[in-house]
């Protein structure tokens, strides 16, 4: 059974710092991995999608990596801003084409 | 093109009442997914529907929960005889195809059972 874990559960850093969020999964048989952003009272926004054959994806100040064999992904945020404050969720698409989600990392960027 | 719409955004029900959650997919989307997010947890898949058909309900509790996506109108997630443990955020997503990474999420309905 696929399980997705995100560490840390919460993170607070000063504005301008670079930071890394971690996601691990137990079964390497995945089709892809996505990072989402969840703002309070709003829906989820997909940030980056990494197909199982890819190693990383970049979008602006965000870079996500995938090491399928070790069951790990990282989301790197460069030069953090207060507007980056949100909960970041990681989800893998498993062999049954279902999205399996981590519990998220709540990120606070202090001005 | 409006995004995925869910209503109500907040719903309060007493134990034993029924809760009806509505999801209007994006225009042109015929695939709908319902997820539940308990406090401090990730989302959990509940059910996947196409117009008039339930495709995968493996994540739905066997009792009290049902879902439909009629030919006309929104998708409905219905919870009968709600209990406190049903308190959660319920998210709907829609897509044009069955591809997971093309799912667009609604803002969610926050159900509180008192």
């Amino acid at each position: 059974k696929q399980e997705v874990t995100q560490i840390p559960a919460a993170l607070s850093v000063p504005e301008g710092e670079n930071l890394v969020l971690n996601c691990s999964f137990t079964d390497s048989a995945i089709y892809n991995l996505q990072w989402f952003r969840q703002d309070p009272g709003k829906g989820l926004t997909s940030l980056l999608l990494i197909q199982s054959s890819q190693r990383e994806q970049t979008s602006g100040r965000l870079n996500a990596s995938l090491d399928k064999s070790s069951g790990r992904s990282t989301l790197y945020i460069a030069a953090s801003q207060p507007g980056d404050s949100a909960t970041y969720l990681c989800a893998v698409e498993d062999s049954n084409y279902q999205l399996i989600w981590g519990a998220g990392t709540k990120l606070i960027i202090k001005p | 093109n409006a995004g995925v719409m869910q209503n109500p955004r907040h719903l309060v029900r007493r134990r034993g009442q029924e809760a009806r959650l509505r999801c209007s997919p994006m225009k042109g989307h015929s695939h709908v997914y319902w997820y539940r997010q308990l406090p401090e947890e990730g989302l959990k898949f509940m059910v996947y529907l196409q117009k008039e058909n339930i495709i995968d309900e493996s994540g739905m509790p066997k009792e009290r929960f049902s879902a439909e996506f009629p030919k006309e109108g929104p998708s409905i997630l219905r919870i009968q005889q709600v209990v406190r443990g049903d308190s959660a955020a319920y998210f709907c997503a829609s897509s044009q195809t069955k591809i997971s990474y093309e799912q667009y999420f609604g803002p969610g309905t926050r159900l509180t059972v008192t």
Side-chain angles (χ1 to χ4, degrees):
Chain A
K1 179 187 171 188
Q2 178 73 268
E3 293 182 2
V4 179
T5 303
Q6 289 188 247
I7 294 173
L11 181 63
S12 179
V13 301
E15 179 180 2
E17 283 199 6
N18 304 325
L19 58 100
V20 174
L21 307 181
N22 297 291
C23 172
S24 61
F25 47 96
T26 55
D27 187 346
S28 61
I30 64 170
Y31 287 108
N32 56 65
L33 182 145
Q34 291 187 75
W35 283 93
F36 290 83
R37 171 182 173 138
Q38 183 177 22
D39 292 281
K42 297 185 180 179
L44 285 72
T45 302
S46 180
L47 298 172
L48 287 165
L49 163 73
I50 310 178
Q51 299 285 5
S52 61
S53 58
Q54 296 175 324
R55 299 282 296 186
E56 67 176 343
Q57 284 288 330
T58 298
S59 175
R61 294 183 292 107
L62 305 180
N63 175 277
S65 70
L66 174 64
D67 184 342
K68 205 172 76 159
S69 60
S70 67
R72 295 175 190 272
S73 174
T74 62
L75 179 65
Y76 175 83
I77 302 177
S80 57
Q81 302 170 359
D84 294 332
S85 297
T87 297
Y88 290 81
L89 297 168
C90 158
V92 300
E93 183 176 5
D94 70 3
S95 53
N96 294 317
Y97 303 101
Q98 285 188 11
L99 288 178
I100 310 299
W101 299 76
T105 294
K106 185 175 182 179
L107 177 64
I108 297 174
I109 306 298
K110 296 175 288 187
Chain B
N1 187 6
V4 178
M5 300 176 67
Q6 290 187 248
N7 68 81
R9 296 291 304 276
H10 300 274
L11 182 61
V12 179
R13 285 286 179 266
R14 292 199 181 110
R15 278 180 297 171
Q17 291 185 319
E18 179 179 286
R20 280 184 178 238
L21 288 63
R22 294 175 183 78
C23 169
S24 296
M26 286 181 70
K27 188 175 180 181
H29 287 192
S30 59
H31 301 252
V32 166
Y33 313 78
W34 284 94
Y35 297 88
R36 176 165 67 176
Q37 185 179 34
L38 295 171
E40 309 301 323
E41 294 188 15
L43 278 71
K44 296 287 193 294
F45 167 79
M46 298 182 76
V47 62
Y48 160 45
L49 310 102
Q50 290 184 34
K51 282 286 187 181
E52 300 184 272
N53 289 303
I54 297 174
I55 307 301
D56 181 353
E57 56 180 350
S58 58
M60 285 272 272
K62 293 290 186 284
E63 298 177 351
R64 302 187 299 109
F65 285 72
S66 63
E68 62 177 11
F69 189 16
K71 187 177 180 181
E72 300 291 336
S75 175
I76 306 286
L77 179 67
R78 182 181 177 211
I79 311 173
Q80 295 178 290
Q81 300 174 341
V82 296
V83 300
R84 288 222 172 104
D86 297 333
S87 296
Y90 292 82
F91 289 94
C92 164
S94 74
S95 64
Q96 203 168 29
T97 68
K98 194 189 175 296
I99 300 175
S100 71
Y101 52 83
E102 293 186 351
Q103 292 182 27
Y104 291 83
F105 284 80
T109 293
R110 275 143 187 87
L111 172 65
T112 301
V113 179
T114 61

